[in-house]
Amino acid sequence: MAKEKNMRLAIGNDHVAIDMKNEIRDYLSAKGIEMIDVGTNSPERFNYPVSGYKVARLVAEGLVDGGVLICGTGVGISLAANKVPGIRACVCSDPYTARLSKQHNNTNIIAFGARVIGPETAKMIVDEWLNAQYEGGRHQTRVDMIAEIQDTGHLQAAEEELEALRASLRA
């Protein structure tokens, strides 16, 4: 996802992450990225799966180029997003993981926790993620395996050994 003037990202959050969401949204907007804010701005308790789902659907439907999710830890909101077919959301607390998540896993959503990192680290994370390019090649096999699990509920490459383990556990 190289930065382009017409890039469009969806951003979502829960009640814990309002300030960080606003700061990251404004930071990316200042870079010329169109930000679609589907999160909450209310301090009232807000269920993070709602924002995770909205961002994930917009990404999966191709209406945005990627997504940014923020809750207390980044974990819950990313779990919700990852339930949407076609989504590869990654929680990152450092820029290195963000970059490699794109290069090796072709992530289409980045997530982090407002209670875990500060806004400057969050900015570094989104910059590394946006500037990274998926490398494909040997990594495509693994991305395809993730898609196989998503699409079928199984991973053929693991089934033979898993069946042998099941049999020994049942004995």
Side-chain angles (χ1 to χ4, degrees):
M1 250 183 257
K3 289 184 272 187
E4 302 169 3
K5 284 195 175 207
N6 61 353
M7 178 179 277
R8 180 185 293 165
L9 297 177
I11 190 167
N13 63 293
D14 69 0
H15 60 284
V16 172
I18 295 168
D19 291 340
M20 184 174 281
K21 184 262 316 234
N22 290 336
E23 187 158 350
I24 297 304
R25 183 199 59 218
D26 295 348
Y27 174 74
L28 293 173
S29 291
K31 291 177 171 276
I33 297 171
E34 181 184 354
M35 299 301 296
I36 309 302
D37 186 345
V38 300
T40 186
N41 286 308
S42 169
E44 298 299 316
R45 184 169 302 280
F46 183 86
N47 294 316
Y48 55 77
V50 174
S51 288
Y53 177 78
K54 286 179 184 178
V55 168
R57 286 305 304 244
L58 293 173
V59 171
E61 293 170 14
L63 298 172
V64 296
D65 301 304
V68 177
L69 293 172
I70 315 165
C71 67
T73 63
V75 174
I77 202 165
S78 68
L79 289 173
N82 276 320
K83 296 299 180 184
V84 174
I87 296 304
R88 290 173 307 283
C90 181
V91 180
C92 294
S93 297
D94 65 272
Y96 178 76
T97 303
R99 180 171 28 117
L100 263 63
S101 80
K102 175 64 76 56
Q103 290 175 335
H104 294 186
N105 307 112
N106 201 18
T107 54
N108 47 19
I109 294 177
I110 196 81
F112 40 85
R115 291 179 171 160
V116 178
I117 62 170
E120 294 309 311
T121 300
K123 290 174 187 176
M124 289 188 280
I125 287 170
V126 295
D127 282 343
E128 284 293 319
W129 185 68
L130 288 171
N131 288 321
Q133 296 295 314
Y134 177 54
E135 293 176 352
R138 66 187 169 96
H139 305 293
Q140 188 59 47
T141 299
R142 297 164 188 149
V143 171
D144 290 343
M145 286 178 164
I146 293 167
E148 179 184 345
I149 295 167
Q150 172 190 282
D151 295 344
T152 68
H154 301 281
L155 180 60
Q156 192 59 43
E159 283 298 325
E160 188 174 317
E161 282 184 32
L162 186 56
E163 190 51 42
L165 179 59
R166 285 183 189 119
S168 70
L169 291 172
R170 289 182 187 125

